[in-house]
Amino acid sequence: MLSALSEWLFGASGLAPHGYCLLWEPELIWLYAISDTAIAVAYFSIPMALGIIGRRRRDLIFPPMLWLFAAFIMLCGTTHWLDLATLWTPLYGIQGVVKAATALASISTAIVLWWKLPDFLSLPSIAQLRDANAALRESEERLAHAQKMEAIGQLTGGIAHDFNNMLQVIVGSISVIEHQIEIGRAQDIKPAVAAIQKAANNASSLINRLLAFSLRQTLTPRVIEPGRLVAEMEELLRRTLGPEIELQLRLAPARWNVACDPSQLESALLNLAINARDAMPEGGALQIATADRELIADPDTPGAQPGNYVEIAVTDSGEGMTREVLSRVFEPFFTTKPTGKGTGLGLSQIYGFVKQSGGFVRIESHPGGGTRVRIYLPGRGPVKDCVAAEDRPRIEAAALSESTHRGKALVVEDQAEVRAQIAEAVARMGFTVVEASEGLAGLKELESDAPLDLLITDVCLPGVNGRQLAETAQSKRPELPVLLITGYAGNSLETLRLAPNMQILRKPFLLDELTARVRAMAGNAAS
């Protein structure tokens, strides 16, 4: 039976090839041969392309229809290969079988196509998809705007709450002072003055935290050893944590230093220690570890550049955080602490400071498993190979000389009350003070031939700003001491290279702090 079937499929006895019907005309033979070959190759390439699409795009709808269509096209290609063969060999039996299979595949494809036609027609057109995408983008923009407004509302509400409390202390204390003076008890105003001072310091701290979060605070970076800074903070950290919490320091030998504002890094570590203490009411352990890290690009940490970093990891054994809380920890004024126990600005301040210093922060936490905060700061070479941007100012009022200075000081400040306070304090030190209410007047004084021994200028000035005045002083009078004072400098000081005779003083400041800084700068200039 098998031999009979084989003879029927492949037998050629009594049959003539197709070329015989064409009278073996060469032009016709080659025309048929080339056409069938081209069609067969094209038909076989189409199922291959459909197969690749089906494998890589498993999200496509109606996949059975795709494979059925691919089978139909492949059988059509096979019939053309057999048409090519039968030009010379009469394989009409196998050709008939393939044609029958092609007929079945084509009928099945047609049935399924008509059956699924309503579903195909219900698919959105390109224009409909474009409109839907536009509507989705508009919805996303509205959602983002609503979230932004919610965040702004939370931020302004937090600022209003804290500042109103501080202003209440100040206004109330002023009323107390006025009352005490009226009744002749001026000697009893010290508590009210201390309350005003405390409220002002709290307001200053709040502003600095907001500027840190917005990456706009004025930093005074210098090259430091993170491990050494942590070791020097050990006693302060132990006092902050209390006896119930064990402090563990794991300070690995480091190859890299970092360039950052040391006071801000100390504040960041202290904030993390306080958060850890509050998360361990029954006691526990806090570990601070430093290590060198060489990092590659991480898609989960946007903005993290590959390179050498110093990692400062702060790990506690506290309550941990849920995923929802973890996603909001850097939001300003977001806190899980009871009312009055926290401002919600600690972690946002850390985020802003680290980001502004060129690094990034990672937090790992889960309920009951504690929290680990990793601070990554760009690694720098050894101290001897690096130039610090500015030495940390050392203000030791008790050790400062009370001797007066002779010379001429230029004070440039657009706020009249602030300018008057600075001018009076500098004049008490023995300087002859020249005041300027805007940058252009200060610039004319700098460019004149008049002698000048000190420049004190605000950074944000109308017209010519404080940075431009400082750069002019560096150019025209390179030995002139320059003290830049600022409450908010924006981006003005980011690329300014501070010379040894230049310093930055943040507002608000005590006048004693101002005079101490001026004495130190004048003493350095004299020596």
Side-chain angles (χ1 to χ4, degrees), residues 288-309:
I288 301 179
T290 61
D292 293 327
R293 301 290 186 216
E294 185 173 352
L295 303 180
I296 59 176
D298 184 0
D300 295 330
T301 310
Q305 299 298 323
N308 295 315
Y309 288 85

Side-chain angles (χ1 to χ4, degrees), residues 91-137:
L91 300 175
Y92 298 121
I94 188 64
Q95 186 182 35
V97 171
V98 172
K99 284 183 178 291
T102 305
L104 289 175
S106 61
I107 292 171
S108 301
T109 303
I111 292 173
V112 172
L113 182 60
W114 281 100
W115 179 37
K116 290 292 184 180
L117 184 60
D119 294 332
F120 285 131
L121 294 177
S122 67
L123 292 175
S125 65
I126 295 178
Q128 289 173 322
L129 288 174
R130 189 184 301 115
D131 293 341
N133 286 334
L136 179 61
R137 282 195 298 269

Side-chain angles (χ1 to χ4, degrees), residues 235-256:
E235 184 60 31
L236 173 62
L237 290 170
R238 290 191 186 279
R239 290 200 306 269
T240 301
L241 294 172
E244 297 82 9
I245 298 175
E246 178 188 1
L247 176 64
Q248 304 169 356
L249 300 184
R250 300 286 186 268
L251 309 178
R255 291 177 299 155
W256 307 108

Side-chain angles (χ1 to χ4, degrees), residues 95-431:
Q95 186 182 35
V97 171
V98 172
K99 284 183 178 291
T102 305
L104 289 175
S106 61
I107 292 171
S108 301
T109 303
I111 292 173
V112 172
L113 182 60
W114 281 100
W115 179 37
K116 290 292 184 180
L117 184 60
D119 294 332
F120 285 131
L121 294 177
S122 67
L123 292 175
S125 65
I126 295 178
Q128 289 173 322
L129 288 174
R130 189 184 301 115
D131 293 341
N133 286 334
L136 179 61
R137 282 195 298 269
E138 185 178 349
S139 298
E140 289 174 345
E141 290 172 0
R142 285 198 299 267
L143 176 60
H145 180 70
Q147 291 173 335
K148 181 170 67 175
M149 295 305 296
E150 181 182 358
I152 292 174
Q154 179 180 337
L155 179 63
T156 53
I159 294 173
H161 173 270
D162 288 356
F163 264 100
N164 281 334
N165 285 340
M166 297 168 196
L167 288 173
Q168 179 58 48
V169 172
I170 293 172
V171 172
S173 297
I174 290 174
S175 298
V176 171
I177 291 172
E178 291 175 341
H179 177 69
Q180 297 286 34
I181 292 175
E182 285 177 2
I183 64 176
R185 297 176 58 183
Q187 71 277 7
D188 296 332
I189 66 173
K190 285 186 177 180
V193 172
I196 291 175
Q197 183 64 60
K198 182 179 179 181
N201 289 338
N202 290 339
S204 174
S205 175
L206 177 60
I207 290 297
N208 285 334
R209 291 184 177 196
L210 289 171
L211 289 176
F213 172 74
S214 64
L215 313 185
R216 290 293 184 270
Q217 67 175 333
T218 302
L219 299 177
T220 52
R222 69 185 185 101
V223 177
I224 60 171
E225 298 178 61
R228 183 176 178 181
L229 181 141
V230 173
E232 291 174 351
M233 291 183 65
E234 181 176 1
E235 184 60 31
L236 173 62
L237 290 170
R238 290 191 186 279
R239 290 200 306 269
T240 301
L241 294 172
E244 297 82 9
I245 298 175
E246 178 188 1
L247 176 64
Q248 304 169 356
L249 300 184
R250 300 286 186 268
L251 309 178
R255 291 177 299 155
W256 307 108
N257 297 312
V258 299
C260 69
D261 189 323
S263 63
Q264 292 297 321
L265 181 56
E266 289 174 352
S267 176
L269 294 176
L270 190 59
N271 268 323
L272 291 176
I274 292 172
N275 286 346
R277 180 196 64 193
D278 294 343
M280 297 182 286
E282 304 300 325
L286 176 69
Q287 182 185 101
I288 301 179
T290 61
D292 293 327
R293 301 290 186 216
E294 185 173 352
L295 303 180
I296 59 176
D298 184 0
D300 295 330
T301 310
Q305 299 298 323
N308 295 315
Y309 288 85
V310 174
E311 177 193 81
I312 306 175
V314 181
T315 308
D316 66 57
S317 59
E319 301 168 345
M321 293 179 280
T322 64
R323 181 174 298 181
E324 180 184 1
V325 172
L326 194 61
S327 67
R328 302 185 61 190
V329 290
F330 292 132
E331 292 182 14
F333 292 105
F334 174 77
T335 180
T336 58
K337 297 178 182 179
T339 303
K341 295 295 184 181
T343 63
L345 284 171
L347 286 175
S348 62
Q349 179 187 13
I350 294 170
Y351 170 85
F353 153 67
V354 174
K355 190 80 171 176
Q356 197 172 351
S357 300
F360 58 95
V361 183
R362 290 174 176 167
I363 299 184
E364 305 160 10
S365 183
H366 59 274
T371 300
R372 175 174 295 167
V373 180
R374 301 176 188 266
I375 296 175
Y376 292 89
L377 294 171
R380 301 294 179 91
V383 175
K384 62 181 180 180
D385 296 331
C386 301
V387 179
E390 178 185 276
D391 290 331
R392 290 178 76 181
R394 293 181 231 168
I395 301 172
E396 301 173 2
L400 292 171
S401 169
E402 292 298 328
S403 61
T404 58
H405 299 270
R406 296 289 180 266
K408 183 178 178 182
L410 173 61
V411 176
V412 187
E413 168 63 64
D414 59 328
Q415 176 61 252
E417 292 81 3
V418 176
R419 185 173 67 251
Q421 291 177 351
I422 296 173
E424 182 181 353
V426 174
R428 285 203 305 264
M429 299 176 65
F431 285 95

